[in-house]
């Protein structure tokens, strides 16, 4: 029997203008298929210097030639659906899209397998629609007038293009629920890769402080953490990060809170290694920072919604608080001081290793191989095939 050649594969990603969580997923996938080109709407090579994406073949859309595209790419969102539909993917057997806005909308034939890894459905068009419009400031009225019909059209296109995907893979169970709600499609759950190897328990003793770290923007809810520590002058907080909320947070903070501003990886790692716990108040789709803290053997006090519910395990790697309020955070801090000695850095580290990059890659490779075999045998993958058995052989 003649051996079948390996399927030809292409990757699709929204835009490549920074190196953040979704780009790290693309980087991990690109390592698995070194010759696969990456199709994207806007590409800024300068943002990828020193990463695994720097030397990859990138095919950018016509939008990349527009003046200011790399700087103002978000303003090009209304033009992106047409841009991704212009990608010619006819030479490939498998298309893997990395989606949080428009990537899933690429056009494929009936004999091509399209697997979409979803970081989130387009949140500013769906569940964050009203918050997005309310953020317009002095131009709120004008912004609403322009944005509402644009977002309406994007929602229509977003729902229609869900039918173009053969298999959805979500980065968390909460994203899988939003996929079901938004597109009425099932999704497998495969957590994204975390660079666990870059974090490890420290050699020095724990300090006497807690740490909060993120870009200082409103939705990260650093305000409730800072306010909670204002009611607990006996506890110390170190805040790492910078952003437009910094002045407001500093005005809210007590003398027991220190702001370090933006810090390099080594400083973040050192503080995660020595902190009593990471305090995390954002509702994230997944949330990489809590896993990085756990890779250092550090417990996490997290808001019990979103991805943190799937990574922070009460009694093992931390605890949850149930509301984004200073009182709820303060109550969690009190609980933590009682339970602190029960958390084992070694057990927390082992838990974090379950999210390591090599494990993600091995599981995704298995998933894709099983999906391709089923697709070749029986054609398009219906909802009944989008079950855990596609991951049955994964480590």
């Amino acid at each position: 029997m003649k051996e079948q050649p390996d399927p030809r594969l292409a990757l699709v990603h929204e835009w490549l203008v920074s190196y953040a969580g979704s780009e790290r997923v693309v980087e991990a996938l690109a390592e698995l298929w070194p010759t696969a080109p990456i199709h994207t709407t806007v590409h800024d090579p300068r943002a990828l210097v020193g990463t695994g994406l720097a030397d990859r073949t990138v095919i950018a859309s016509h939008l990349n030639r527009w003046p200011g595209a790399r700087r103002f790419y978000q303003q090009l969102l209304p033009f992106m659906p047409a841009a991704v539909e212009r990608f010619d993917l006819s030479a490939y057997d498998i298309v893997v899209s990395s989606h949080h806005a428009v990537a899933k909308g690429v056009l494929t034939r009936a004999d091509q397998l399209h697997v979409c890894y979803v970081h989130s459905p387009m949140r500013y068009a769906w569940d964050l629609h009203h918050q997005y419009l309310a953020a317009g400031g002095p131009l709120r009225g004008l912004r609403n007038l322009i944005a509402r019909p644009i977002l309406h059209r994007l929602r229509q296109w977003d729902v229609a293009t869900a039918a173009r995907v053969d298999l959805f893979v979500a980065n968390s169970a909460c994203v899988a629920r939003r996929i079901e709600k938004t597109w009425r499609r099932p999704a497998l759950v495969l957590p994204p890769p975390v660079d666990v190897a870059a974090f490890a328990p420290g050699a020095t003793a724990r300090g006497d402080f807690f740490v909060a770290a993120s870009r200082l923007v409103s939705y990260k809810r650093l305000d409730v953490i800072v306010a909670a520590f204002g009611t607990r002058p006996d506890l110390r907080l170190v805040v790492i990060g910078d952003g437009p909320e910094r002045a407001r947070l500093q005005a809210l903070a007590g003398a027991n809170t220190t702001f370090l501003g933006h810090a390099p990886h080594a400083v973040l790692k050192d503080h995660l290694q020595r902190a009593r716990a990471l305090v995390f108040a954002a509702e994230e789709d997944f949330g990489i920072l809590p896993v990085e803290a756990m890779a250092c053997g550090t417990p996490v006090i997290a808001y019990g919604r979103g991805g943190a519910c799937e990574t922070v395990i009460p009694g093992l790697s931390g605890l949850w608080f149930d509301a984004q309020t200073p009182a709820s955070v303060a109550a969690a801090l009190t609980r933590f001081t009682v339970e602190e000695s029960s958390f084992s850095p070694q057990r927390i580290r082992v838990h974090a290793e379950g999210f390591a990059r090599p494990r993600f890659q091995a599981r995704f490779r298995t998933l894709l191989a099983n999906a391709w075999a089923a697709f070749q045998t029986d054609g398009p993958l219906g909802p009944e095939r989008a079950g855990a058995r596609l991951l049955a052989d994964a480590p």
Side-chain angles (χ1 to χ4, degrees):
M1 182 175 178
K2 185 177 180 180
E3 185 175 345
Q4 293 294 319
D6 291 336
R8 297 159 297 177
L9 185 142
L11 298 170
V12 181
H13 186 55
E14 247 86 46
W15 45 73
L16 287 170
V17 296
S18 64
Y19 183 68
S22 62
E23 286 74 31
R24 293 173 191 269
V25 172
V26 175
E27 181 183 56
L29 295 174
E31 283 184 0
L32 293 176
W33 295 282
T35 62
I38 304 171
H39 293 71
T40 192
T41 59
V42 181
H43 176 218
D44 186 355
R46 297 167 299 180
L48 305 175
V49 173
T51 76
L53 298 173
D55 299 321
R56 294 302 299 245
T57 299
V58 175
I59 300 172
S61 77
H62 66 284
L63 298 180
N64 201 51
R65 299 191 295 271
W66 288 19
R70 295 174 183 179
R71 182 177 179 185
F72 301 109
Y73 65 95
Q74 290 177 316
Q75 279 69 37
L76 300 180
L77 181 62
F79 305 99
M80 288 183 180
V84 299
E85 289 181 347
R86 288 177 62 174
F87 290 142
D88 182 3
L89 302 171
S90 58
Y92 306 100
D93 302 301
I94 300 174
V95 174
V96 176
S97 59
S98 164
H99 176 91
H100 56 77
V102 297
K104 79 177 193 316
V106 294
L107 300 177
T108 56
R109 299 187 310 270
D111 62 340
Q112 292 175 293
L113 173 65
H114 180 182
V115 175
C116 180
Y117 188 87
V118 184
H119 310 281
S120 174
M122 202 184 312
R123 300 204 69 182
Y124 35 84
W126 293 102
D127 55 318
L128 295 183
H129 169 75
H130 298 291
Q131 294 93 315
Y132 172 77
L133 293 177
L139 297 177
R140 185 176 297 130
L142 179 61
R143 182 173 185 164
N144 283 0
L145 184 65
I146 298 171
R148 285 184 186 278
I150 291 174
L151 291 174
H152 177 70
R153 289 292 185 91
L154 280 172
R155 282 192 293 272
Q156 291 178 320
W157 181 86
D158 192 45
V159 171
T161 55
R164 300 177 185 177
V165 177
D166 296 296
L167 177 65
F168 282 110
V169 184
N171 69 353
S172 65
C174 73
V175 168
R177 286 192 294 272
R178 287 211 299 273
I179 290 172
E180 177 67 37
K181 173 72 173 179
T182 305
W183 300 328
R184 302 302 182 189
R185 293 285 303 277
L188 290 175
V189 176
L190 180 58
V194 180
D195 192 4
V196 171
F199 296 86
T204 57
R206 293 277 170 181
D208 66 344
F209 63 89
F210 295 79
V211 67
S214 77
R215 178 163 163 74
L216 305 187
V217 292
S218 59
Y219 84 91
K220 295 290 188 178
R221 301 311 309 267
L222 271 295
D223 57 332
V224 300
I225 299 174
V226 169
F229 276 86
T231 69
R232 292 295 305 267
D234 56 315
L235 302 177
R236 289 183 57 223
L237 173 67
V238 175
V239 177
I240 300 175
D242 209 345
E245 287 276 289
R246 181 167 180 174
R248 186 174 80 88
L249 293 172
Q250 287 181 314
L252 184 66
N256 59 333
T257 296
T258 301
F259 289 81
L260 296 187
H262 177 74
H265 170 80
V267 173
L268 173 64
K269 177 180 176 181
D270 173 65
H271 280 78
L272 290 178
Q273 289 173 329
R274 295 189 296 112
R276 294 172 66 178
L278 170 75
V279 188
F280 189 79
E283 182 179 350
E284 298 278 18
D285 300 321
F286 175 74
I288 288 177
L289 180 64
V291 180
E292 292 173 339
M294 291 184 286
C296 295
T298 300
V300 179
I301 303 170
Y303 177 45
R305 294 284 297 274
C309 290
E310 300 163 52
T311 59
V312 180
I313 309 301
L316 170 64
S317 59
L319 54 85
W320 302 335
F321 53 92
D322 59 9
Q324 289 172 311
T325 64
S328 187
V329 175
L333 290 170
T334 299
R335 294 204 323 271
F336 178 80
T337 57
V338 173
E339 302 174 16
E340 185 172 5
S341 62
S342 67
F343 293 108
S344 163
Q346 293 75 28
R347 291 180 65 208
I348 295 173
R349 168 69 191 191
V350 170
H351 170 64
E353 287 172 352
F355 301 94
R357 182 177 180 133
R359 186 164 191 259
F360 166 84
Q361 291 175 313
R363 298 185 77 200
F364 197 95
R365 186 191 289 277
T366 298
L367 180 155
L368 198 65
N370 289 345
W372 177 238
F375 185 79
Q376 285 185 296
T377 303
D378 300 320
L381 303 174
E384 70 281 356
R385 289 193 172 275
R389 65 193 182 88
L390 292 178
L391 274 168
D393 304 323

